[in-house]
Amino acid sequence: MSLQTLSEWLRCPNCFLPLTPSGPLTLCCASRHSFDANKRGYISLAGGARRLIGDSVAMVDARGLFLSAGWYAPLRERLAERVADVKPTRILDVGCGTGYYLEGVLDHIPEAQALGMDLSPVAVARTVAGHDNVDGLVADVWSALPVRDAAADVILNVFAPRNPAEFHRVLRPSGMLMVVVPQKTHLQELRAAGLALDVPANKAENLSQTLATQGFDLESRDELSAALVLNPEQAAALIGMGPSSHHTDAEDVAGHLSPVQTVTASFEVLGFRRRTL
C-alpha cells in the first residue's frame, strides 16, 4: 500500500468529498475531516454508529487453513477466468476475507490495482499482507461506502453481503459485478447433521431479479459442484470459517464428525453487467 494509491479509491464517509494524503499516515478531505491509516497497510472508515462485528481471528484462521488446502481452487480459477475476460485495471473485493479469491484474480491480472474491503480488520490485514498492488479498507457494506464514484472496473462479492445501490455507484459504466453464491446442495451433509446453516432455494434466481431492479443485467452464469472427502480437522475448519460458526460449539462439532467426511461443495458464479439507470 501507498497512501497515494489508497486515497485514489476513497471518499470521506462524512461529507463524501475525495480523500487525499495529509501527513505520513493520514488522509483528509477538503472539509478537514481526517482519518488515520496504519502501518499494516489499511484504513478503517467503518465508523462507530452501528454495533457490527466482523469475522473473528478464529474464523479467519479457519478460512485460511481450509482454503490453503485447495478445496475451493476450482471456484477461484473459474472466478479469475471470468474477471480476466473483462481486462480490468481496478478491482474492488467487497467481503475480501483472507484475500484468497482476490489473489487468484491478480495471478491472472498482475498489473491491476485492487482494494480489499471487509468489516473484519483481521481479514483486511491478511488480504493486504505482501501485496504492493492491494490496498485495504475496513468498512460496513450496509452503509454508504467510503469509495469514490466509478472507482472500480470490477467488484468481487464472494459469499458476502451486498449493497446493490452502492455497488452501482462505485462501478464504472458497463463495469462487472461478480457474485459467488452457494447452491441448494452446498454443504448438504453438514446441514443434515445440524452443523451448517440452511441455503435458501432459488438463491441465484432471486438475486438476479433483485439486481435487475438496481441496474444490473445477468451476463454469465457458471455452476460448479464437487464431493470433498475431508478429515475431521478440515471439516471443522469448513464449518468454522463461515456464519455457521456463530451457531455451533467447537466441541459439539468435533463430536458429530466422522473420521472421513464427504461434503458436497456447490456454487454459482454470476456475472452482472452494470447498466445506466
Side-chain angles (χ1 to χ4, degrees):
M1 180 205 84
S2 76
L3 210 59
Q4 180 60 43
T5 60
L6 177 61
S7 70
E8 289 169 359
W9 285 100
L10 302 178
R11 68 177 192 174
C12 176
N14 299 322
C15 65
F16 304 147
L17 293 175
L19 291 177
T20 57
S22 174
L25 286 173
T26 304
L27 297 179
C28 70
C29 67
S31 298
R32 298 187 180 179
H33 299 122
S34 181
F35 307 91
D36 294 330
N38 63 54
K39 294 180 180 179
R40 290 187 289 173
Y42 65 87
I43 192 169
S44 178
L45 299 176
R50 298 176 63 188
R51 297 183 63 184
L52 298 170
I53 301 175
D55 290 350
S56 65
V57 174
M59 292 175 68
V60 175
D61 285 345
R63 190 170 298 138
L65 174 66
F66 182 83
L67 294 175
S68 66
W71 297 109
Y72 284 6
L75 169 61
R76 180 167 82 160
E77 183 64 18
R78 181 63 59 85
L79 176 64
E81 290 171 350
R82 285 295 188 185
V83 175
D85 288 342
V86 182
K87 298 180 174 60
T89 60
R90 295 176 63 80
I91 301 166
L92 170 61
D93 188 352
V94 177
C96 58
T98 62
Y100 175 76
Y101 299 101
L102 179 58
E103 185 174 22
V105 168
L106 293 176
D107 284 344
H108 284 251
I109 322 166
E111 67 280 5
Q113 293 291 318
L115 179 68
M117 173 186 145
D118 204 288
L119 185 59
S120 167
V122 178
V124 174
R126 301 279 178 95
T127 295
V128 302
H131 298 286
D132 293 337
N133 58 339
V134 181
D135 293 300
L137 170 66
V138 177
D140 172 16
V141 70
W142 300 115
S143 300
L145 301 183
V147 178
R148 299 186 190 191
D149 294 357
D153 301 314
V154 169
I155 293 177
L156 306 182
N157 184 251
V158 183
F159 306 124
R162 290 167 292 277
N163 187 333
E166 282 296 279
F167 288 0
H168 194 273
R169 180 184 64 79
V170 304
L171 269 177
R172 65 165 174 79
S174 300
M176 290 294 295
L177 169 61
M178 301 300 305
V179 182
V180 177
V181 295
Q183 295 190 69
K184 180 65 177 175
T185 55
H186 185 58
L187 309 186
Q188 60 185 357
E189 297 83 2
L190 297 178
R191 288 191 284 108
L195 299 175
L197 299 180
D198 196 18
V199 177
N202 303 316
K203 191 175 181 72
E205 287 78 4
N206 294 337
L207 175 61
S208 297
Q209 292 174 9
T210 298
L211 288 177
T213 67
Q214 299 287 334
F216 291 95
D217 295 321
L218 182 63
E219 189 166 288
S220 65
R221 182 173 183 174
D222 299 293
E223 297 183 4
L224 294 86
S225 184
L228 312 181
V229 181
L230 309 177
N231 62 35
E233 181 184 25
Q234 293 163 342
L238 174 57
I239 297 166
M241 75 184 199
S244 299
S245 64
H246 296 299
H247 306 276
T248 55
D249 177 82
E251 292 185 5
D252 185 58
V253 167
H256 283 82
L257 294 175
S258 304
V260 176
Q261 185 86 39
T262 300
V263 178
T264 300
S266 54
F267 327 97
E268 293 194 62
V269 181
L270 307 170
F272 296 93
R273 180 76 66 179
R274 180 194 186 279
R275 57 177 155 79
T276 302
L277 290 172

